[in-house]
Amino acid sequence: MSEVRLTLPSRPAMGARPPGEGQVLFPIGLRLVLGTVALVAGVLAVVVTSWIASEQALVRSLRRNEAESFAVAMSGAWANELIDENWNQIRNQLFEVTRQSEDFAYVMITDERRGGRVIAAVPEELMGTYVPDVVPVEVTRVALSETVDARLSETFLLRDIEIRGVPRALRGERIVEVAADIEFQEHRVGVLRVGVSLRAVEEARQRALEEALVFGGISLLVGILGAFFLARQITGPIRALEASAARMAGGDFAHRSVIKTRDEIGSLSATFNHMAGELKATFDRLRGTLTSFERFVPRKFLRVVAPEGIEKIQVGTRATRTITILFSDIRGYTSISEQSTAVQMFELLNDYLGEMGAAIDAEGGFIDKYIGDAIMALFDEDDADGAVRAAIGMRERLAAWNARRKAAGLTEIDIGIGLHRGEVVMGTVGYMARIDSTVIGDAVNLASRIEGLTKNYHVAILISDAVLEAIARPEQFVVRTIDRAAKVKGKDEAVVLHTVDGWAPGVRKTEPASDASEAE
């Protein structure tokens, strides 16, 4: 008989992992660390950008102020030399200024009396020009414009600059030019133009970037370590809770999660423990219900009528089987019941059925139903040995039970047992509000008729020829043929009947019987 799954009665295997477990692709700890890294990196990017911009702005402002202060101061100092045309004095002073500070890319003085011609300059090749080729023309135009205040222009060099053979600034380098008027008696007589390199701004940016990278690296490392520690603080209890859930899924409903924190995870653990207790109580009730249910419908029968679990049982589920059917009945039951009260008969039947049921269970059979005082039992093994052993065992238990009743002054009873083997249909009948399991087939009717003939032949056990042929070890029984052409009510063909007198000589009456639970 094929094995059929019983969904609800079975418990999960210990250590079983729930579906989907172990498939975490992006754990919380990793997400927390990556999120922290992203946050720290974002904050650092903003801080570094602001820091660099601030440093650049500060250095640029200093350079502009220095250039403007120098231009304004020197424009007043050189007014007399320009009027007196002390060109060499002015040129020496210009060279001395550029020698003392490498930030000066160039310094030049134009003479208004000569149409704005450069009469003194460092580098010297700028002298004699009207529009110097070191800066764009627009810068010169702004420098020579007539305004009260100094004119500032931030621009770039058009070519490399050398001062007496020593490189001073490179083409494309950013500079700030300050132009200040040279006045004499409130009239502009010339213009002082000073070009100050802004390479310090770039150096400040590079320096700030390097400092920021060091600071950012340290901050990022601290952030990662902190995130890792925090992740462990969070994921540790979660993993412990996951392990507790796995143990409960494996059937350990007595296990409880250890609550180590007083936060949301601790509250979750407490809720989990409460859920585990409720599940255990529910599962225990469910198992008790299923155990009780199996007392009404045997598990072997459930495998046929409820192959997908009893929660999915349907009307009309059926299967064809070749089995051995056993019927037993109390002889004279009507007269016994007339002489006893209902309570006495109730107690008698329960005692009697308990004895008979134990004999049937011991041989791997199961009771399909009780019909008053009659028992209908089924044996679905490939042979009929178990059914015959059960019939003998029933007679032995009945003898012992009667001996106890006789000692107690109670009435002894006798039974008849009939066995037949054949094809039947096992399934469910009724409707969804009331379902019952049953076995239908001519073999069932014939087994019942054979049991009824035990009174006519005055024997305790009658078996059909089909049962005798299905016995795998006939040498263990004493079997006699009673009638080779017995007429059975409802059957046109005659039936060969045999009686089983008991165990064969030398055979132990209590041969090892298969335990019912193991047979399952």
Side-chain angles (χ1 to χ4, degrees):
M1 193 172 188
S2 60
E3 183 70 18
V4 180
R5 180 178 63 87
L6 291 177
T7 306
L8 293 179
S10 59
R11 291 182 63 180
M14 293 300 294
R17 299 174 69 88
E21 186 180 350
Q23 301 177 4
V24 178
L25 300 179
F26 205 33
I28 293 176
L30 178 59
R31 281 185 287 172
L32 185 58
V33 171
L34 292 179
T36 303
V37 170
L39 178 61
V40 172
V43 173
L44 286 176
V46 174
V47 171
V48 168
T49 302
S50 301
W51 189 355
I52 293 175
S54 176
E55 287 290 309
Q56 286 182 310
L58 177 61
V59 174
R60 178 178 284 105
S61 177
L62 290 174
R63 289 293 177 268
R64 290 168 68 98
N65 291 336
E66 288 175 358
E68 185 176 2
S69 298
F70 173 80
V72 171
M74 297 310 295
S75 64
W78 286 334
N80 292 330
E81 281 77 0
L82 181 61
I83 293 299
D84 296 338
E85 297 184 355
N86 294 328
W87 312 126
N88 289 332
Q89 180 68 19
I90 294 174
R91 291 165 186 165
N92 291 333
Q93 290 178 356
L94 292 181
F95 178 76
E96 185 65 23
V97 168
T98 56
R99 187 181 67 82
Q100 291 179 359
S101 177
E102 294 182 354
D103 289 332
F104 287 100
Y106 60 84
V107 181
M108 67 183 78
I109 295 177
T110 63
D111 191 343
E112 291 291 313
R113 295 169 298 178
R114 290 172 173 73
R117 181 181 179 186
V118 178
I119 52 88
V122 177
E124 297 173 347
E125 64 265 21
L126 298 179
M127 290 189 301
T129 62
Y130 292 92
V131 182
D133 61 352
V134 292
V135 292
V137 175
E138 181 62 28
V139 177
T140 299
R141 185 178 297 113
V142 172
L144 299 180
S145 63
E146 294 187 8
T147 60
V148 176
D149 300 324
R151 282 83 64 189
L152 280 79
S153 299
E154 187 169 328
T155 183
F156 59 92
L157 295 175
L158 297 178
R159 64 178 178 83
D160 296 344
I161 293 180
E162 294 183 357
I163 299 179
R164 296 186 179 181
V166 179
R168 175 56 63 95
L170 301 176
R171 177 183 178 183
E173 187 173 314
R174 301 292 299 180
I175 65 168
V176 58
E177 180 184 293
V178 180
D181 294 338
I182 300 175
E183 296 181 344
F184 183 79
Q185 296 181 353
E186 298 183 357
H187 295 284
R188 188 172 82 170
V189 294
V191 177
L192 172 63
R193 298 172 63 182
V194 180
V196 179
S197 173
L198 293 179
R199 71 170 67 93
V201 176
E202 177 62 25
E203 292 172 354
R205 186 194 71 81
Q206 186 65 28
R207 185 170 57 254
L209 179 60
E210 292 174 356
E211 294 174 354
L213 288 177
V214 174
F215 172 76
I218 295 174
S219 300
L220 192 61
L221 178 60
V222 172
I224 292 175
L225 293 177
F228 181 75
F229 176 76
L230 181 60
R232 292 198 61 178
Q233 292 294 104
I234 294 176
T235 59
I238 292 178
R239 290 189 179 278
L241 191 60
E242 179 188 16
S244 297
R247 289 187 61 175
M248 191 179 72
D252 187 4
F253 292 103
H255 175 73
R256 294 294 180 270
S257 176
V258 178
I259 301 175
K260 298 182 178 179
T261 60
R262 293 183 175 271
D263 52 14
E264 290 83 354
I265 297 178
S267 177
L268 179 61
S269 297
T271 303
F272 174 84
N273 289 339
H274 177 73
M275 179 191 68
E278 292 296 317
L279 282 176
K280 183 179 185 303
T282 301
F283 193 81
D284 288 343
R285 287 194 298 270
L286 181 59
R287 286 184 60 83
T289 300
L290 293 174
T291 301
S292 299
F293 183 81
E294 289 178 0
R295 295 172 184 170
F296 292 91
V297 182
R299 177 172 294 195
K300 289 185 177 181
F301 214 116
L302 284 174
R303 291 173 179 167
V304 177
V305 301
E308 297 181 0
I310 64 172
E311 71 276 11
K312 296 183 180 180
I313 192 169
Q314 297 289 331
V315 175
T317 303
R318 65 187 182 276
T320 301
R321 296 284 190 274
T322 298
I323 61 175
T324 303
I325 306 104
L326 180 150
F327 269 91
S328 70
D329 192 18
I330 297 177
R331 295 176 179 173
Y333 179 76
T334 302
S335 61
I336 296 174
S337 61
E338 290 175 350
Q339 299 171 15
S340 307
T341 65
V343 174
Q344 290 173 333
M345 289 304 300
F346 191 82
E347 293 176 349
L348 181 146
L349 277 178
N350 278 325
D351 289 343
Y352 162 74
L353 294 175
E355 294 289 337
M356 300 302 101
I360 293 170
D361 288 345
E363 299 300 337
F366 62 94
I367 297 174
D368 176 55
K369 59 175 59 71
Y370 299 110
I371 310 169
D373 63 307
I375 297 174
M376 176 181 171
L378 307 176
F379 297 82
D380 62 351
E381 284 82 5
D382 294 333
D383 55 57
D385 297 52
V388 177
R389 288 197 302 268
I392 298 174
M394 291 169 68
R395 293 295 304 178
E396 291 176 343
R397 283 182 173 270
L398 179 66
W401 185 62
N402 275 330
R404 293 194 298 272
R405 287 181 61 82
K406 182 177 179 180
L410 300 175
T411 305
E412 300 180 57
I413 65 172
D414 195 13
I415 63 172
I417 303 174
L419 290 83
H420 180 59
R421 184 175 180 84
E423 187 177 89
V424 299
V425 175
M426 305 171 66
T428 55
V429 295
Y431 69 109
M432 287 309 298
R434 178 65 174 88
I435 301 176
D436 195 8
S437 60
T438 189
V439 178
I440 298 175
D442 183 63
V444 178
N445 298 328
L446 184 53
S448 177
R449 302 298 185 193
I450 292 174
E451 184 277 322
L453 292 176
T454 57
K455 296 188 292 289
N456 298 345
Y457 292 103
H458 304 289
V459 294
I461 302 173
L462 275 179
I463 64 174
S464 66
D465 208 37
V467 174
L468 181 63
E469 292 175 356
I471 295 176
R473 296 175 58 193
E475 69 278 3
Q476 62 182 332
F477 309 115
V478 177
V479 181
R480 292 183 296 111
T481 303
I482 295 295
D483 193 340
R484 294 187 177 277
K487 288 293 294 179
V488 179
K489 183 179 180 181
K491 293 286 292 184
D492 294 333
E493 297 180 0
V495 178
V496 180
L497 296 178
H498 312 274
T499 185
V500 179
D501 292 330
W503 303 104
V507 177
R508 292 186 303 166
K509 294 185 178 182
T510 56
E511 284 196 350
S514 59
D515 184 82
S517 62
E518 293 179 355
E520 294 297 317

